[in-house]
């Protein structure tokens, strides 16, 4: 009961800052929150994903075949956006959905641990280990699909482990129709998150091998056929909507999507420097995001060495462990090392590690005391993190919203309430997208242009009348968008308004109070000149 109380306490403390931490569209996921919610809402409206506010950009046309078919994600996030966007901004809606999915992830983590024979106290400690990580804290407070992807991986492993145990006990046998459904469902879940193509794809191949499908070729063809049918339906829907047939959007230059795909570690498997850098970056990231998981892995490794003969693995536990290794490999070689993807795999890693502890340490009064002590320690550090983050995020939100209120009033007075187009940078886009007095234009034309002409001419062609930029307190050019837009604003615009304050989270660590004393940022509102 005491461990359960610590879990509830940590979740309550984190929930206080659900809509302020981290700053909407902040540097953790630069523009992905509002942009992603716009994509998913537009997919339900038109049949394919695109960003209507990305004027002058290829993303306003389509996100392409690879990212333009996100139907499960559109149902989870796009439907609430359609229903409630008149009353709440898109990031608020998306974060509410994500947090509900995060609670489902906690429940599934607990239930899977219990299924694998882990005691109630140790299973609750597993949930606490997960939610006390900064990775979970960030991801559960973001209008993004990372939590949904992590929950999907967990559910797939749970389902497959259950059936593998029945298969080993001769209580169930995979049929051809089951393989067809498996392939179809795996492909369908790829429409929830593009990352599930590799994570669940690699897991599916491993599953077919464990279920001995290689002995019956028709079963493998059935799985491929099921996936192919769903893929054909998705491409058909995309084609019928009239969207341009493009893999990564019809940009006139290599874009971010292509860059991420081309830098996957699997494409350079024999490059020593690439693979060492890949492993070191992920190890550093996990230590910063989830040091408790690293310490847990070290404890498990020591137990495996000291008590290597003491094991009570069931078929379900064995499959879950192997699945964890498979997902680890897929994550290492088929995924970007970006910090926000960690929550896609951490829940499964927690399940695997704690199931190993449970198989080698029998419940006792002493062990229960150790669990309680660990729970208290985790709760203390997590509550400290959430309190510090809440304080800094509240300060940033207050200053930024006051500056945006003043900027919008200035625009309204100057434009005579004509709803002008405002080219805005993060982190103003969530606010402006919901404001009915202006029309938001996001800065996607910098990275996803449809023209090789000058940036100034591209901006002019969109009809943008104002530009809203942020200047970092330390004077650095913190993003590609800012570096490209600032010279244009100074060249073709006139400054109408300036406001200083703690406006955004660039170069600020939410978990260190000293970062509140960094030099103040500046918001600059430009009025753009019309060409003569």
């Amino acid at each position: 009961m005491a461990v359960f109380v610590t879990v509830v306490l940590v979740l309550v403390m984190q929930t206080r800052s659900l809509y302020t931490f981290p700053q909407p569209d902040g540097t953790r996921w630069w523009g992905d929150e509002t942009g992603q919610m716009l994509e998913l809402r537009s997919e339900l409206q038109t049949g394919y994903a695109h960003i209507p506010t990305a004027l002058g950009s290829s993303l306003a046309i389509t996100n392409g075949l690879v990212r333009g078919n996100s139907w499960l994600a559109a149902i989870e996030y796009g439907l609430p956006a359609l229903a409630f966007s008149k009353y709440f901004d898109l990031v608020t809606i998306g974060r509410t959905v994500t947090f509900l999915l995060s609670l489902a992830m906690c429940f599934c983590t607990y239930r899977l641990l219990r299924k694998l024979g882990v005691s109630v106290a140790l299973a609750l400690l597993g949930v606490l280990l997960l939610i006390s990580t900064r990775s979970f804290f960030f991801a559960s407070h973001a209008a993004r699909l990372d939590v949904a992807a992590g929950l999907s991986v967990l559910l797939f492993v749970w389902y497959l482990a259950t059936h593998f145990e029945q298969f080993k006990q001769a209580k169930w046998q995979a049929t051809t129709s089951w393989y067809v459904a498996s392939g179809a469902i795996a492909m369908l879940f790829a429409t929830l998150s593009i990352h599930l193509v590799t994570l669940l794809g690699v897991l599916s191949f491993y599953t077919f091998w464990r279920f001995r499908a290689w002995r019956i070729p028709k079963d493998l063809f059935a799985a491929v056929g099921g996936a192919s049918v769903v893929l054909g339906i998705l491409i058909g829907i995309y084609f019928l909507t009239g969207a341009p047939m493009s893999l990564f959007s019809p940009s006139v230059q290599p874009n971010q999507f292509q860059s991420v795909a081309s830098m996957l570690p699997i494409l350079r498997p024999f490059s020593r420097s690439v693979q060492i850098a890949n492993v070191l970056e992920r190890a550093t990231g996990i230590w910063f995001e989830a040091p408790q998981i690293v310490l847990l892995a070290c404890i498990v490794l020591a137990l495996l060495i000291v008590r290597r003969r003491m094991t009570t693995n069931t078929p379900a536990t064995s499959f879950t462990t192997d699945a964890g290794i498979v997902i680890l490999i897929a994550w290492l070689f088929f995924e970007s090392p970006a910090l926000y993807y960690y929550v896609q795999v951490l829940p499964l890693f927690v399940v695997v590690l704690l199931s190993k502890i449970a198989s080698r340490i029998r419940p006792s009064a002493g062990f229960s005391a150790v669990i309680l002590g660990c729970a208290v320690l985790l709760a203390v550090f997590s509550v400290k993190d959430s309190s510090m983050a809440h304080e800094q995020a509240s300060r940033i939100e207050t200053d930024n919203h006051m500056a945006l209120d003043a900027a919008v009033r200035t625009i309204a007075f100057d434009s005579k309430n004509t709803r002008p187009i405002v080219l805005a940078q993060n982190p103003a886009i969530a606010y402006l997208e919901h404001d009915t007095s202006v029309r938001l234009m996001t800065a996607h034309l910098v990275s996803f242009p449809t023209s090789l002409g000058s940036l100034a001419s591209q901006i002019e062609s969109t009809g943008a009348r104002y530009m809203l930029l942020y200047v970092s307190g330390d004077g650095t050019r913190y993003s590609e968008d800012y570096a490209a837009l600032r010279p244009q604003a100074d060249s073709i615009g006139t400054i109408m308004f300036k406001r200083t304050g703690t406006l955004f989270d660039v170069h600020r660590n939410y978990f260190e109070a000293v970062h509140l004393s960094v030099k103040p940022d500046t918001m600059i509102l430009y009025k753009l000149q019309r060409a003569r």
Side-chain angles (χ1 to χ4, degrees):
M1 184 62 183
V3 181
F4 177 75
V5 170
T6 61
V7 170
V8 173
L9 174 63
V10 170
L11 285 174
V12 169
M13 291 297 292
Q14 291 181 351
T15 308
R16 292 188 310 152
S17 54
L18 177 59
Y19 304 115
T20 57
F21 165 84
Q23 184 178 29
D25 301 303
T27 53
R28 178 78 174 203
W29 18 74
W30 202 236
D32 280 5
E33 290 191 275
T34 297
Q36 193 157 254
M37 292 297 293
L38 285 167
E39 290 176 23
L40 300 177
R41 184 176 66 180
S42 66
E43 184 166 1
L44 291 180
Q45 293 170 326
T46 63
Y48 59 96
H50 62 285
I51 304 178
T53 61
L55 303 180
S57 159
S58 61
L59 296 188
I61 303 170
T62 176
N63 278 0
L65 276 167
V66 175
R67 298 188 72 252
N69 287 284
S70 306
W71 288 105
L72 285 183
I75 291 172
E76 286 189 358
Y77 285 86
L79 281 178
L82 282 175
F84 300 109
S85 56
K86 289 183 179 180
Y87 312 103
F88 306 100
D89 67 80
L90 292 176
V91 173
T92 295
I93 296 168
R95 290 190 176 192
T96 302
V97 174
T98 297
F99 191 72
L100 293 176
L101 292 175
S102 301
L103 295 180
M105 174 185 281
C106 293
F107 175 77
C108 290
T109 300
Y110 173 80
R111 290 301 304 160
L112 181 53
L113 283 167
R114 292 291 292 138
K115 174 180 174 53
L116 298 179
V118 177
S119 67
V120 171
L122 190 56
L124 287 172
L125 181 64
V127 175
L128 183 58
L129 277 164
L130 174 63
I131 65 175
S132 64
T133 64
R134 291 176 177 176
S135 181
F136 178 89
F137 191 16
F138 274 109
S140 63
H141 287 51
R144 283 177 49 92
L145 302 172
D146 305 303
V147 169
L151 178 59
S152 298
V153 170
L154 205 60
L155 289 173
F156 260 76
V157 172
W158 185 356
Y159 172 81
L160 293 173
T162 300
H163 279 70
F164 181 74
E165 186 165 58
Q166 295 174 346
F167 171 75
K168 297 298 288 185
Q169 296 172 351
K171 296 179 180 179
W172 175 83
Q173 184 67 41
T175 62
T176 301
S177 60
W178 184 84
Y179 283 106
V180 171
S182 296
I185 291 173
M187 181 56 67
L188 184 63
F189 265 81
T191 69
L192 179 60
S193 171
I194 189 63
H195 302 284
L196 294 178
V197 171
T198 51
L199 293 178
L200 296 186
V202 174
L203 180 61
S204 295
F205 281 116
Y206 169 74
T207 299
F208 298 154
W209 176 74
R210 287 299 298 268
F211 285 5
R212 301 174 186 173
W214 55 272
R215 295 182 178 180
I216 310 175
K218 71 173 183 178
D219 289 340
L220 290 178
F221 284 113
V224 173
S228 300
V229 168
V230 173
L231 180 60
I233 293 173
L234 294 174
I235 294 176
I237 293 173
Y238 184 87
F239 176 77
L240 291 174
T241 60
M245 299 300 287
S246 169
L247 285 179
F248 295 101
S249 86
S251 176
V252 296
Q253 67 183 30
N255 57 49
Q256 178 187 3
F257 302 153
Q258 294 163 305
S259 298
V260 171
S262 65
M263 293 176 64
L264 295 180
I266 191 61
L267 298 179
R268 299 172 181 82
F270 304 112
S271 172
R272 181 180 178 184
S273 60
V274 168
Q275 298 306 330
I276 290 178
N278 175 42
V279 172
L280 289 178
E281 185 172 359
R282 293 172 199 265
T284 302
I286 286 188
W287 179 250
F288 180 78
E289 295 283 301
Q292 53 271 65
I293 306 301
V294 177
L295 295 176
L296 177 64
C298 293
I299 293 172
V300 170
L301 180 61
L303 281 175
L304 292 177
I305 295 173
V306 174
R307 300 191 174 188
R308 57 184 178 277
R309 295 183 179 180
M310 296 181 62
T311 179
T312 57
N313 282 343
T314 63
T317 302
S318 174
F319 183 92
T320 302
T321 300
D322 293 345
I325 296 173
V326 170
I327 292 296
L328 174 62
I329 294 172
W331 174 64
L332 278 174
F333 295 104
F334 294 94
E335 293 277 307
S336 162
L339 295 176
Y340 33 85
Y341 298 147
Y342 286 25
V343 78
Q344 298 178 11
V345 296
L346 283 180
L348 180 59
F349 294 168
V350 168
V351 168
V352 170
L353 293 172
L354 285 185
S355 67
K356 290 302 174 186
I357 289 179
S359 68
R360 284 164 172 78
I361 299 180
R362 296 178 179 178
S364 64
F367 188 46
S368 297
V370 171
I371 291 174
L372 180 58
C374 291
V376 172
L377 192 62
L378 286 170
V380 168
F381 281 104
S382 185
V383 168
K384 179 182 177 182
D385 265 2
S386 59
S387 298
M388 185 64 67
H390 178 71
E391 177 185 351
Q392 299 217 47
S394 298
R395 168 76 175 275
I396 293 172
E397 182 197 33
T398 299
D399 284 9
N400 189 45
H401 276 210
M402 288 178 64
L404 285 168
D405 287 341
V408 169
R409 287 195 301 269
T410 302
I411 293 172
F413 179 80
D414 181 70
S415 63
K416 309 304 180 184
N417 299 318
T418 58
R419 288 201 70 210
I421 296 175
V422 181
L423 171 52
Q425 218 189 346
N426 313 53
I429 61 177
Y431 180 100
L432 295 181
E433 194 283 328
H434 188 62
D435 194 298
T436 58
S437 65
V438 298
R439 286 178 290 170
L440 170 67
M441 174 183 167
T442 48
H444 290 96
L445 82 168
V446 174
S447 300
F448 300 85
T450 56
S451 169
L452 293 175
S454 67
L455 184 56
S457 64
Q458 293 181 57
I459 294 172
E460 182 183 348
S461 68
T462 65
R465 297 297 298 124
Y466 301 90
M467 189 185 300
L468 190 63
L469 299 181
Y470 288 80
V471 180
S472 174
D474 61 5
T476 59
R477 295 195 169 194
Y478 51 86
S479 73
E480 180 182 350
D481 293 347
Y482 176 79
L485 293 175
R486 180 64 189 271
Q488 303 300 322
D490 290 334
S491 174
I492 63 174
T494 303
I495 295 177
M496 297 183 63
F497 169 87
K498 279 188 177 184
R499 176 66 62 90
T500 60
T502 309
L503 302 179
F504 59 161
D505 57 4
V506 172
H507 306 310
R508 288 189 172 91
N509 186 334
Y510 284 101
F511 307 107
E512 295 181 14
V514 67
H515 286 276
L516 278 177
S517 61
V518 172
K519 291 183 179 179
D521 313 305
T522 305
M523 174 190 290
I524 308 178
L525 174 66
Y526 293 86
K527 183 175 182 178
L528 304 182
Q529 302 170 3
R530 293 184 183 273
R532 296 180 180 178

